[in-house]
């Protein structure tokens, strides 16, 4: 079973692929879309959940999403049809870092996809290329709440602490206008959903050739979470505006 299918199964109960609850998602989108008629872009959209929620809440919003996963985009299109918002959604199957568009966007999102660009600041540089004057960026990324173990860094990456993360963003020419720091409850709920969804699928499909692998992957992920990074990892969503003239 490939990583794409594992991720798809693991996010069945938590379609927003970051540790955040529905109320916080709604509030971030409210702040990111103050007029309600914006054009938005998600770089690394996966199944398009952020875009689908924005389109459902704001009937004048137009959205585009970019991702390399064909199956994720198929799911996004199907969900958009079910929700009646497909006429306002355009999806592109390609590398997000190489995406270009003839028009700019009022809100550019990239949540949990910094690895695709080589880090937080390169992700912001990519977002800036698509941003309309006065527009906003919604970015989500990890940080270390306390000193991580070497194993945690190897698993998740070499993040900074929260204050240093925000300082780097500000020094790069951005001003935070809103944010959300994931709570312990949100972080734990995300991990239980990830491991639980995958585990239940494996137990419910013992005849599937990928069942044993899915069960092992869920168990390994749970062990890594509980023993390596639960006490040190944090996640922050920031809404930013450019401070450049």
């Amino acid at each position: 079973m490939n990583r794409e299918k594992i991720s798809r199964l693991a996010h069945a109960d938590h379609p927003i692929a970051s540790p955040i609850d529905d109320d916080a998602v709604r509030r971030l989108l409210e702040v990111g879309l103050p007029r309600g008629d914006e054009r938005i872009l998600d770089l690394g959209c996966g199944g398009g959940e952020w875009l689908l929620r924005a389109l459902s809440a704001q009937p004048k919003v137009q959205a585009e999403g970019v991702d390399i996963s064909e199956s994720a985009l198929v799911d996004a299109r199907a969900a958009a049809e079910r929700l009646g918002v497909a006429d306002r959604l355009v999806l592109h199957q390609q590398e997000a870092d190489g995406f270009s568009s003839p028009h700019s966007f009022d809100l550019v999102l990239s949540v949990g996809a910094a690895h695709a660009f080589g880090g937080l600041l390169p992700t912001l540089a990519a977002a800036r290329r698509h941003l309309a004057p006065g527009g906003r960026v919604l970015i989500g990324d990890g940080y270390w709440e306390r000193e991580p173990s070497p194993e945690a860094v190897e698993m998740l990456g070499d993040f900074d602490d929260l204050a240093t993360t925000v300082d780097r963003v500000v020094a790069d020419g951005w001003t935070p206008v809103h944010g959300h720091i994931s709570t312990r409850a949100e972080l734990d709920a995300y991990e239980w959903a990830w491991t639980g969804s995958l585990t239940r699928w494996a137990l419910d499909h013992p005849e599937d050739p990928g069942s044993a692998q899915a069960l092992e992957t869920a168990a390994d992920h749970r062990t890594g979470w509980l023993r390596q990074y639960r006490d040190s990892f944090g996640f922050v969503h920031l809404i930013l505006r450019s401070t450049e003239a």
Side-chain angles (χ1 to χ4, degrees):
M1 185 184 296
N2 60 37
R3 291 178 60 186
E4 183 178 313
K5 184 173 181 181
I6 286 174
S7 178
R8 186 179 179 188
L9 293 170
H11 286 99
D13 293 340
H14 201 295
I16 291 285
S18 66
I20 186 171
D21 66 23
D22 291 340
D23 286 342
V25 170
R26 176 186 52 77
R27 179 58 181 155
L28 285 166
L29 289 174
E30 286 176 350
V31 176
L33 302 168
R35 298 194 317 266
D37 63 352
E38 290 87 350
R39 185 187 297 272
I40 65 176
L41 171 69
D42 190 342
L43 296 171
C45 67
E49 190 67 21
W50 285 93
L51 299 178
L52 294 170
R53 296 195 187 194
L55 291 168
S56 297
Q58 301 283 5
K60 295 182 180 179
V61 159
Q62 300 285 330
E64 297 190 34
V66 185
D67 205 274
I68 60 172
S69 171
E70 180 180 5
S71 62
L73 296 180
V74 167
D75 288 346
R77 289 190 184 95
E81 291 285 353
R82 289 195 302 271
L83 294 168
V85 299
D87 60 325
R88 294 184 285 126
L89 177 64
V90 178
L91 298 170
H92 308 270
Q93 186 185 355
Q94 65 174 92
E95 296 280 353
D97 197 23
F99 175 71
S100 63
S101 173
H103 47 253
S104 57
F105 296 85
D106 304 296
L107 176 65
V108 180
L109 300 92
S110 188
V111 177
H115 60 277
F117 300 90
L120 177 61
L121 296 189
T123 305
L124 289 172
R128 192 188 294 276
R129 293 197 296 267
H130 301 288
L131 198 62
R136 293 164 168 80
V137 170
L138 169 52
I139 193 160
D141 203 17
Y143 68 92
W144 294 122
E145 289 190 336
R146 50 187 59 86
E147 190 68 27
S149 67
E151 294 83 3
V153 173
E154 183 178 354
M155 291 177 70
L156 299 181
D158 192 13
F159 300 113
D160 293 308
D161 61 40
L162 179 59
T164 302
T165 297
V166 174
D167 286 347
R168 292 179 65 213
V169 168
V170 171
D172 195 48
W174 300 93
T175 296
V177 297
H178 186 62
H180 177 78
I181 298 169
S182 294
T183 66
R184 169 55 58 201
E186 287 173 313
L187 287 158
D188 286 350
Y190 177 77
E191 298 289 2
W192 283 124
W194 201 103
T195 56
S197 298
L198 192 56
T199 299
R200 286 197 304 276
W201 179 88
L203 295 175
D204 289 342
H205 298 83
E207 75 291 344
D208 191 285
S211 178
Q213 181 189 350
L215 199 61
E216 181 181 1
T217 299
D220 289 345
H221 187 108
R222 185 174 58 250
T223 298
W225 162 47
L226 293 173
R227 294 191 176 275
Q228 302 298 340
Y229 66 84
R230 180 177 183 267
D231 293 332
S232 56
F233 180 70
F235 201 91
V236 62
H237 297 77
L238 297 170
I239 295 183
L240 308 169
R241 293 185 65 175
S242 176
T243 51
E244 293 186 354

